[in-house]
Amino acid sequence: MKITTPILSASVLTICALALVSALTAQYVFGLRPCVLCLVQRGPFVLAAVLAAVSLRSPSTSRLLLQLAGLALLINGGIAFYHVGVEQHWWASAVCPGGDQSGARISVADLMADMNKPVEVHCDQPAWSFHGVTMAALNIPFSGLVGLSILLLARRVTHASHSR
């Protein structure tokens, strides 16, 4: 079976949509609240999905758009790696609130002010893990392999006419 740009574009769009549905299901069905880095990792999936959708309508630039989608997912693998480093305390995150406030003096006024704010989800405290493997850790090979596959396949695809 020859892979054409419309087939690859539809596949990328489907994979990204399923990844986003999985994240939203974890959040809204299973109550796993995402941290800032979890939310950031959704961005490349949205971007890749939009690029794939546009490539369906733009055959002349579809290969470039698919390559950009693959690159976005490879970058997402890097973001996921950074997130795992924060979870494992290999480094601190500049964008996430820290979990450790030992030794900090907290006043009653501070506690009252904090009660009026939404609870922050700390990036170094995973909402879910299975034998130490978190969702961010699963996202590293997923985004990396999907992104690399898209890049490789985008080089080999053939253009198909959009006749109906």
Side-chain angles (χ1 to χ4, degrees), residues 107-117:
S107 69
V108 173
D110 291 337
L111 289 174
M112 294 298 287
D114 285 345
M115 288 173 55
N116 293 323
K117 293 189 299 188

Short mmCIF file of all heavy atoms in Angstrom, two decimals, residues 107-117:
data_model
loop_
_atom_site.label_atom_id
_atom_site.label_comp_id
_atom_site.label_asym_id
_atom_site.label_seq_id
_atom_site.Cartn_x
_atom_site.Cartn_y
_atom_site.Cartn_z
N SER A 107 1.83 32.70 57.37
CA SER A 107 0.96 33.43 58.29
C SER A 107 -0.50 33.06 58.03
O SER A 107 -0.84 32.48 57.00
CB SER A 107 1.15 34.94 58.12
OG SER A 107 0.63 35.34 56.87
N VAL A 108 -1.36 33.41 58.97
CA VAL A 108 -2.79 33.17 58.82
C VAL A 108 -3.32 33.94 57.61
O VAL A 108 -4.15 33.45 56.85
CB VAL A 108 -3.55 33.55 60.11
CG1 VAL A 108 -5.05 33.45 59.91
CG2 VAL A 108 -3.10 32.67 61.26
N ALA A 109 -2.81 35.15 57.39
CA ALA A 109 -3.24 35.95 56.23
C ALA A 109 -2.87 35.25 54.92
O ALA A 109 -3.65 35.25 53.97
CB ALA A 109 -2.61 37.34 56.29
N ASP A 110 -1.66 34.64 54.90
CA ASP A 110 -1.25 33.90 53.71
C ASP A 110 -2.17 32.70 53.46
O ASP A 110 -2.55 32.42 52.33
CB ASP A 110 0.19 33.40 53.83
CG ASP A 110 1.22 34.53 53.81
OD1 ASP A 110 0.89 35.61 53.28
OD2 ASP A 110 2.33 34.31 54.32
N LEU A 111 -2.52 32.00 54.52
CA LEU A 111 -3.41 30.85 54.39
C LEU A 111 -4.78 31.28 53.90
O LEU A 111 -5.39 30.62 53.05
CB LEU A 111 -3.54 30.11 55.73
CG LEU A 111 -2.31 29.34 56.19
CD1 LEU A 111 -2.53 28.79 57.59
CD2 LEU A 111 -1.98 28.22 55.23
N MET A 112 -5.29 32.38 54.41
CA MET A 112 -6.60 32.89 53.97
C MET A 112 -6.56 33.29 52.50
O MET A 112 -7.50 33.02 51.75
CB MET A 112 -7.03 34.09 54.84
CG MET A 112 -7.30 33.73 56.29
SD MET A 112 -8.65 32.56 56.50
CE MET A 112 -10.03 33.60 56.14
N ALA A 113 -5.47 33.94 52.09
CA ALA A 113 -5.33 34.34 50.68
C ALA A 113 -5.24 33.11 49.79
O ALA A 113 -5.82 33.07 48.70
CB ALA A 113 -4.11 35.23 50.50
N ASP A 114 -4.52 32.09 50.26
CA ASP A 114 -4.37 30.86 49.47
C ASP A 114 -5.69 30.11 49.33
O ASP A 114 -5.91 29.42 48.35
CB ASP A 114 -3.33 29.93 50.09
CG ASP A 114 -1.91 30.43 49.85
OD1 ASP A 114 -1.73 31.31 48.97
OD2 ASP A 114 -0.99 29.95 50.54
N MET A 115 -6.57 30.23 50.30
CA MET A 115 -7.86 29.53 50.23
C MET A 115 -8.74 30.09 49.12
O MET A 115 -9.63 29.39 48.63
CB MET A 115 -8.58 29.62 51.58
CG MET A 115 -7.91 28.76 52.63
SD MET A 115 -8.59 28.96 54.30
CE MET A 115 -10.30 28.65 54.08
N ASN A 116 -8.51 31.33 48.72
CA ASN A 116 -9.30 31.95 47.66
C ASN A 116 -8.74 31.69 46.27
O ASN A 116 -9.37 32.07 45.29
CB ASN A 116 -9.43 33.45 47.91
CG ASN A 116 -10.25 33.75 49.15
OD1 ASN A 116 -11.22 33.06 49.41
ND2 ASN A 116 -9.85 34.75 49.91
N LYS A 117 -7.57 31.08 46.19
CA LYS A 117 -6.96 30.78 44.90
C LYS A 117 -7.21 29.32 44.56
O LYS A 117 -7.34 28.47 45.45
CB LYS A 117 -5.44 31.00 44.94
CG LYS A 117 -5.03 32.45 45.12
CD LYS A 117 -3.54 32.64 44.94
CE LYS A 117 -2.72 31.87 45.93
NZ LYS A 117 -1.29 32.17 45.90
#
